[in-house]
Amino acid sequence: MLNKKNFYINGEWIKPNSSEEITVVDPATEENCAVITLGDKIDVDKAVKAAKNAYESWAFSSKEDRIGLLEKLYENYKKRWADIAKAITLEMGAPKDFASKLQAGTGASHIKSFIRYLKNFEFEKPLGEHAPNQRLIYEPKGVCALITPWNWPMNQVCLKVMPAMAAGCTMVLKPSELAPLSSMILAEIVDEVKFPKGVFNLVNGDGATTGDALTSHPDINMISFTGSTRAGALISQNAAKDFKRVSLELGGKGANIIFKDADPEAIERGAFRCFRNSGQSCNAPTRMLVEKSMYNEAIERLKKYTENFEVGDPKKEGEHIGPVISENQFKKIQALIQKGIDEGAKLVAGGTGKPDGLDKGYFVKPTVFADVNNNMEVARTEIFGPVLSVIPFDSEEDAIKIANDTTYGLTNYIQSQDHDKVKRVARKLRSGMVDVNGAGIAVDAPFGGFKHSGIGREAGEFGLEEFLEVKAVGGWS
């Protein structure tokens, strides 16, 4: 259990003003593992004031000073790597090896990447040779509200905190109340590194009270949010009142197009990517579009693969999936699986209920539906669980049409050995990212989507620029 001082404001761990507490639940055991306080308006005001005061000097700190502090943070992060991974396993059920290699690992990768981009970034540069006395100046956007989710806690926190620090912004971080423990370790690291007081502040809380107080606060200049599309819309409404800058990374319903000339591992690889992290990834390929000439073969392979896919205790080593985050999420997934059955989709593997031998914990059976059409709810709703919907298609044009027939546009996938076809299809898919033949998306590639999948891009140089305003100066000499 955490002590009562679980807010980090102005360089100190403090006891919150609010007395409203909630428990953090280990989703593998359904047992309480920590207690946090939900920050109220007074707590948010303290944190924002600290960030606003710190901005006056931090915004004009040298690039070299910021690089030095971020390099120290990276070294200290590596020392706490095991602690971060253990916290992620406890708070959101990520299996031990996955939590270390990928969950904690992506956080480290982003820190290292942003240091590299900061070193090479020009905060002042000429407009061009045609206008030698015209200057562009990149300046930090100001005080930022950073609101992060529970499904990839350290990945998302580092995608926001590190570029904000690199840009010269100050910030208030509100991690998900379901998985706040790893973020509190990061706050300990920031404290150890001795960033100037008020640059980084952490306030725990929920969306309805703490998040609303943050996003509507008049002294917040920018909001960077990752979470549901519904919450993103509400945040945008709050921000519009005084024209706050907004970056939103929201939901997805990725299509994985399997052409008949796909490589031999494409079917199983697609299922694995859907089920990984217990299906709790916004960029998961949850709609598998299969060319009709190989459709029956694909269904048989998926049935065999899924029936042998392991679900188990996240505290043990190995490549398996753990529970989903909460009882509410478990119930939502169960209802959507039942909805798929009721709508007439063919249940190939999995289904409702928990896997055999896992009566305790929010474990979900990896589930595959065949003969899905794109109008069914399982094909349109972001389920956020290990549920795969398989849809047949006739032609390249048909596949593109089905893939784009969604309100989302985060990540789509193409499996084909025909490079010309891959290029044609990739250009026509309405999504911010396209993964071809399992190549993956680089850690510093722009991460973000079209349509209801959000606004803006995270990671790499694009992620750094999200926290910068551009000023044009004429007559510079």
Side-chain angles (χ1 to χ4, degrees), residues 215-221 237-245:
T215 57
S216 60
H217 199 289
D219 289 331
I220 290 290
N221 305 114
Q237 291 171 15
N238 268 354
K241 296 170 186 175
D242 49 10
F243 301 96
K244 291 176 171 62
R245 294 344 188 206

Side-chain angles (χ1 to χ4, degrees), residues 90-112:
L90 182 65
E91 67 190 354
M92 59 82 59
K96 184 177 181 180
D97 290 347
F98 184 77
S100 180
K101 293 174 185 176
L102 280 164
Q103 289 278 7
T106 53
S109 296
H110 288 309
I111 300 170
K112 189 175 181 180

Side-chain angles (χ1 to χ4, degrees), residues 385-399:
V387 181
L388 178 64
S389 297
V390 190
I391 304 170
F393 70 87
D394 291 306
S395 64
E396 183 178 317
E397 293 73 21
D398 188 32

